[in-house]
């Protein structure tokens, strides 16, 4: 499956249509995984549910439209959280949102599975969906644990354990620590996180 076009479009939605408006209203950029997709953690109340953007008063279709058009219909200004970070997806408001149905379903499922696994792994820490790298993650004792929808390192959804200090050994197979495709973990993402913590 070619994940990249859908992943880029969904990343753009997270950054331009959720994190940007939220940052302009509240100064916060973090998002959260929600049923069927993901959402803001502060105002305005915005949620991606499948292929739609849900506001307090409407459900706005995303696919086949520009971010600017969706924002206008939803009463928002499309734009990234200005000046907060560099290295985001580089999506512009005039680009067209492109979703493959299977890829969209798989990406949203990976976020849901990752959020659930992180909460099982450490119930006292709330997972965050970050708009810059577009991963759902926590940091615990100078180690990042999370699920990415894929990126330049691995082009499909994967779970990772990323210690601040590099580790050596068979488990540590990625430049940033350890990574496993979600499909290979077969629902055992929590076990992977626990194994990573044991190997530390």
């Amino acid at each position: 499956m070619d994940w990249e076009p859908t992943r880029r479009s969904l990343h753009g939605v997270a950054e331009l249509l959720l994190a940007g408006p939220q940052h302009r209203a509240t100064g916060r950029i973090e998002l959260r995984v929600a049923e069927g997709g993901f959402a803001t953690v502060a105002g305005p109340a915005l949620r991606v549910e499948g292929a739609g953007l849900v506001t307090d008063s409407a459900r706005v279709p995303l696919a086949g439209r520009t971010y600017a058009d969706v924002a206008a219909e939803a009463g928002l200004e499309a734009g990234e959280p200005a000046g907060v970070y560099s290295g985001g997806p580089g999506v512009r408001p005039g680009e067209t949102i492109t979703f493959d149905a299977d890829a969209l379903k798989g990406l949203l499922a990976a976020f849901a599975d990752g959020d659930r696994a992180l909460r099982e792994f450490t119930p006292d820490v709330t997972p965050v969906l970050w708009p810059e790298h577009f991963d759902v993650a926590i940091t615990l004792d100078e180690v990042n644990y999370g699920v990415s929808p894929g990126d330049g390192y691995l082009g499909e959804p994967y779970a990772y354990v990323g210690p601040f200090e590099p580790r050596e050994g068979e488990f540590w197979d990625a430049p940033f620590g350890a990574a496993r495709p979600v499909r290979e973990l077969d629902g055992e993402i929590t076990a992977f996180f626990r194994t990573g913590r044991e190997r530390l």
Side-chain angles (χ1 to χ4, degrees), residues 48-133:
V48 169
E49 187 177 285
L53 175 68
V54 181
T55 72
D56 282 337
S57 58
R59 179 185 176 93
V60 183
L62 292 165
R65 311 176 70 197
T66 69
Y67 300 92
D69 287 343
V70 172
E73 185 173 339
L76 304 169
E77 176 191 351
E80 64 195 46
V84 179
Y85 55 75
S86 59
V91 178
R92 303 271 62 93
E95 289 186 35
T96 299
I97 299 167
T98 303
F99 289 155
D100 171 84
D102 289 339
L104 179 63
K105 182 178 178 181
L107 292 170
L108 295 179
F111 282 140
D113 292 345
D115 185 77
R116 189 179 309 112
L118 289 165
R119 292 174 187 275
E120 290 174 358
F121 173 60
T122 177
D124 296 333
V125 182
T126 302
V128 173
L129 179 65
W130 294 104
E132 177 184 359
H133 299 297

Side-chain angles (χ1 to χ4, degrees), residues 105-184:
K105 182 178 178 181
L107 292 170
L108 295 179
F111 282 140
D113 292 345
D115 185 77
R116 189 179 309 112
L118 289 165
R119 292 174 187 275
E120 290 174 358
F121 173 60
T122 177
D124 296 333
V125 182
T126 302
V128 173
L129 179 65
W130 294 104
E132 177 184 359
H133 299 297
F134 202 38
D135 56 347
V136 58
I138 63 168
T139 300
L140 185 66
D141 298 328
E142 297 194 339
V143 182
N144 297 319
Y145 300 87
V147 169
S148 166
D151 52 29
Y153 169 72
L154 184 60
E156 64 179 290
Y158 66 88
Y160 65 85
V161 179
F164 291 11
E165 295 294 327
R167 299 295 200 275
E168 294 183 356
E170 184 179 348
F171 181 81
W172 308 105
D173 61 347
F176 48 81
R180 305 288 187 276
V182 168
R183 61 179 172 78
E184 292 183 5

